[in-house]
Amino acid sequence: MSAVIDSVPDEFRPIVTSLLAGRDLELLKALQTREKPTLDQQEAVIDVLGDAFTEHFGPGHEPTEQGKLTDNALGAFLACWPSEDLADD
């Protein structure tokens, strides 16, 4: 069995794990034990990473390096788990 978190590319797994650990530990624990996220869990990941992204804007409302990393991590998560492949459990 491969857990949801394990499916996130190595490059982005630390940021996803860190943000979830600090903002929604229960969600992180669920994604460490499930093979596939639910639609609700995917939405929660979008909310957490999206909120983190908005905290990292620099001059001219351009994303900082941390913002870019967070945005890319969200994109990688969504690439692994597109909505059309998920069911609401």
Side-chain angles (χ1 to χ4, degrees):
M1 175 186 107
S2 178
V4 172
I5 289 295
D6 296 334
S7 299
V8 176
D10 293 343
E11 174 183 3
F12 301 114
R13 193 174 311 129
I15 186 74
V16 172
T17 302
S18 173
L19 288 170
L20 292 176
R23 297 172 188 238
D24 193 338
L25 188 56
E26 291 304 312
L27 176 60
L28 175 59
K29 288 178 181 178
L31 296 178
Q32 289 172 325
T33 60
R34 293 183 58 95
E35 290 184 45
K36 190 177 204 180
T38 65
L39 282 170
D40 287 343
Q41 288 170 334
Q42 182 199 55
E43 284 291 323
V45 170
I46 291 169
D47 289 345
V48 168
L49 273 65
D51 287 348
F53 172 73
T54 63
E55 295 168 4
H56 294 284
F57 288 111
H61 205 62
E62 290 293 318
T64 63
E65 289 305 311
Q66 184 66 29
K68 291 175 188 175
L69 177 63
T70 302
D71 186 48
N72 290 338
L74 177 56
F77 180 88
L78 294 174
C80 291
W81 302 108
S83 296
E84 58 271 9
D85 291 348
L86 305 180
D88 201 17
D89 292 336

